[in-house]
Amino acid sequence: MSILEAIQQSSNMEILKNNLKSLIKDYDNSVEYYKHELRENNLYNTDFDSDTDNIIDSVESLDKVKNALKNIITSLNKIQVVFEKIGYSDSTGTTDDCGEESYLQQLDKFSEQGLKLIENFEREYFVSFSNQLYYLTSLSEIHYNNKFGDLTEEIKVTPAAEEMLEETEEYLGSLPEIKTNEIK
């Protein structure tokens, strides 16, 4: 590998890191907004069971919470697209829904894991991060569907981002494989 190629690959990793940092920040903001809407609309520990009298008085309040949760899913899906493009696929399967308190705790733990990934941006941490990402994305979509019904959304990747991610995937693919017992 030439020095020029090494510089390009290092640059791609730095671009990837900065993009993930931005996406994780967007995710954190979405989580905080969701928590705010739950508190603001007195829905923090409310299950949205259609048989319950605790259903929101106002459709507007329900829409705010619904949109806030959808923003979390969109943020997770954007991060997921990045990991899919660099060669990390979903190996977690599906999950069952959980209560609101547990869900909020898992959102916070993922924020912490995202921060750790950015602080220690090494390939060894990608596998565990992507596994947690896929799990939380699946959980969030199930959580949304159980509360509000069918979720629809579409994530688009620009051609420039697509090219950078392909180059990064090639670079990561050229590195020696990490044995499972060596993953941090």
Side-chain angles (χ1 to χ4, degrees), residues 19-158:
N19 287 337
L20 283 173
K21 187 176 186 179
S22 174
L23 292 171
I24 291 170
K25 184 178 178 184
D26 289 345
Y27 163 80
D28 287 340
N29 291 337
S30 297
V31 169
E32 289 306 313
Y33 179 67
Y34 179 66
K35 289 177 182 178
H36 168 77
E37 289 302 325
L38 286 175
R39 284 190 300 271
E40 189 72 20
N41 295 293
N42 297 318
L43 299 173
Y44 194 79
N45 289 317
T46 304
D47 290 326
F48 299 112
D49 186 359
S50 58
D51 297 333
T52 306
D53 291 333
N54 294 335
I55 295 179
I56 313 224
D57 297 335
S58 165
V59 173
E60 184 178 318
S61 295
L62 184 59
D63 282 344
K64 287 180 181 179
V65 173
K66 183 178 178 179
N67 288 331
L69 183 53
K70 192 171 184 177
N71 288 340
I72 290 172
I73 295 168
T74 299
S75 295
L76 288 168
N77 281 331
K78 287 179 181 178
I79 298 169
Q80 189 172 318
V81 166
V82 170
F83 274 87
E84 286 171 355
K85 295 291 183 184
I86 62 172
Y88 291 85
S89 60
D90 183 3
S91 60
T92 60
T94 59
T95 184
D96 293 329
D97 197 3
C98 61
E100 197 66 49
E101 187 67 32
S102 176
Y103 178 66
L104 293 172
Q105 289 173 352
Q106 291 184 56
L107 293 174
D108 289 339
K109 286 185 188 252
F110 185 74
S111 290
E112 291 172 16
Q113 192 173 14
L115 179 62
K116 287 178 184 175
L117 176 69
I118 297 302
E119 288 176 349
N120 300 304
F121 198 72
E122 296 179 28
R123 182 174 158 233
E124 292 85 22
Y125 298 110
F126 287 10
V127 172
S128 64
F129 182 82
S130 67
N131 285 339
Q132 183 62 26
L133 168 66
Y134 286 110
Y135 168 78
L136 190 58
T137 301
S138 176
L139 175 62
S140 295
E141 290 171 353
I142 289 168
H143 198 69
Y144 181 96
N145 286 331
N146 284 343
K147 289 183 181 215
F148 304 114
D150 294 330
L151 173 68
T152 58
E153 66 177 322
E154 185 176 321
I155 304 294
K156 296 179 182 173
V157 179
T158 65

